[in-house]
Amino acid sequence: MALFLFLVLVAVVLGIVGVVVETLGYLLAVGIAVLVAAFVLLAVRLALRSRRRPVR
């Protein structure tokens, strides 16, 4: 969970810098990509966690 929160924080910072500094628009794109990667990571971890539970 700490990795997810760190990736979201990095994505937000990159997004803000990308919007504020108009010439660094690529940082906004990188921030969006990091945010998407964070949510994909979270979804994979949640899916793997639900599979490990024994069925009763």
Side-chain angles (χ1 to χ4, degrees):
M1 190 56 110
L3 179 62
F4 171 74
L5 293 175
F6 175 72
L7 288 175
V8 170
L9 179 66
V10 168
V12 168
V13 169
L14 288 175
I16 290 172
V17 171
V19 168
V20 171
V21 182
E22 295 173 4
T23 58
L24 298 178
Y26 65 90
L27 283 180
L28 178 61
V30 170
I32 292 171
V34 170
L35 186 64
V36 169
F39 281 114
V40 168
L41 176 69
L42 179 67
V44 168
R45 291 185 70 175
L46 289 176
L48 290 176
R49 186 184 308 178
S50 66
R51 287 186 188 166
R52 288 188 207 159
R53 293 182 181 163
V55 178
R56 293 184 181 187

